[in-house]
Amino acid sequence: MDTILIGIAGGSGSGKTTLANSLVNYFGEDEVSILRHDNYYKRHDEMTFEERRHLNYDHPDAFDTDLLCEHIRELKAGRRVEMPVYDYSIHNRSDKTTAVLPNPVIILEGIMIFAEPTLVDLMDFKIFVDTDADERILRRIMRDVNERGRSLESVVRQYRETVKPMHEQFVEPSKRKADIIIPEGGKNDAAMQFIVDFIRNRLR
């Protein structure tokens, strides 16, 4: 199977997920599958909840890159994989998994994916979603408080202590590896049409 892997990176709250979901909605789940980098946070059963709560989740070392690369290779070989499911309420990987099918297009979306050379080498096309920092932090606050059960204080503290400095150290420089940089993700109609046309041509 001639499977293509499209990487969608960008800062937290930049619109990566919106763009990835828009592409799935456009082409359908029979054509496009999604791997979400956040689901590949390392498992830490050996730590207490309090210890896990203070880990730096915005560093490349927080992710199980070996497992993710293995899953990408399996998908490219035409075999389905069981993607881990991360539980933000306990700061650990859950016992559940989600089946990901080896569709013609696989989208890998995540903050740090361009900071890992082994992942970049597996990608056929790389997109960086570039969004203003003020907009990104507002979106992150709304998401983490409303969807992940976090307190406003904890979100702001994490942003100051790890999210912002790690973004500047790893995420922002990684955009140089992108094939295309687009502002505002799925809300950018012109960029969305370009990406749709690219995928449509590859599918043909």
Side-chain angles (χ1 to χ4, degrees):
M1 177 183 291
D2 186 18
T3 299
I4 63 170
L5 178 67
I6 299 176
I8 301 179
S12 178
S14 60
K16 301 179 302 299
T17 301
T18 299
L19 175 59
N21 290 342
S22 296
L23 292 172
V24 173
N25 292 336
Y26 186 90
F27 288 100
E29 295 182 354
D30 293 334
E31 297 283 0
V32 181
S33 294
I34 297 182
L35 289 170
R36 303 196 187 277
H37 201 203
D38 284 359
N39 282 337
Y40 287 85
Y41 280 122
K42 290 177 180 176
R43 187 165 199 143
H44 287 292
D45 293 338
E46 77 284 2
M47 294 183 176
T48 65
F49 171 79
E50 199 61 26
E51 288 172 331
R52 293 195 300 268
R53 196 167 67 86
H54 288 94
L55 288 174
N56 180 359
Y57 292 96
D58 294 280
H59 191 283
D61 290 345
F63 297 93
D64 191 345
T65 301
D66 290 341
L67 177 62
L68 178 53
C69 288
E70 177 186 332
H71 281 182
I72 291 171
R73 294 188 187 100
E74 286 291 296
L75 289 168
K76 286 197 168 193
R79 293 183 287 270
R80 63 178 269 174
V81 300
E82 294 295 326
M83 179 173 63
V85 174
Y86 191 78
D87 187 341
Y88 293 93
S89 66
I90 61 171
H91 296 286
N92 205 8
R93 195 181 292 178
S94 74
D95 294 326
K96 299 177 182 178
T97 60
T98 300
V100 179
L101 301 178
N103 283 327
V105 178
I106 307 296
I107 293 176
L108 172 61
E109 64 104 350
I111 296 170
M112 293 283 172
I113 59 173
F114 293 172
E116 287 286 359
T118 52
L119 285 177
V120 172
D121 288 344
L122 293 170
M123 297 177 199
D124 300 291
F125 191 63
K126 300 176 291 297
I127 302 166
F128 189 93
V129 181
D130 207 9
T131 303
D132 181 77
D134 290 342
E135 181 67 23
R136 286 191 288 105
I137 181 56
L138 289 173
R139 290 177 184 174
R140 184 182 177 101
I141 289 172
M142 295 293 290
R143 180 197 67 194
D144 286 3
V145 171
N146 295 332
E147 299 176 16
R148 298 180 178 175
R150 302 277 302 281
S151 68
L152 176 60
E153 180 185 4
S154 71
V155 176
V156 172
R157 182 177 65 250
Q158 185 182 20
Y159 182 80
R160 286 174 172 166
E161 292 178 356
T162 60
V163 176
K164 186 175 186 292
M166 294 299 99
H167 177 89
E168 293 171 350
Q169 183 176 349
F170 295 107
V171 183
E172 189 67 22
S174 77
K175 77 161 88 172
R176 300 187 188 98
K177 298 179 182 177
D179 297 304
I180 180 174
I181 298 173
I182 63 173
E184 298 301 330
K187 296 181 180 180
N188 187 320
D189 293 338
M192 183 69 181
Q193 188 59 53
F194 174 86
I195 297 165
V196 165
D197 290 343
F198 170 83
I199 294 175
R200 187 187 291 123
N201 289 335
R202 288 297 297 263
L203 289 175
R204 287 175 182 166

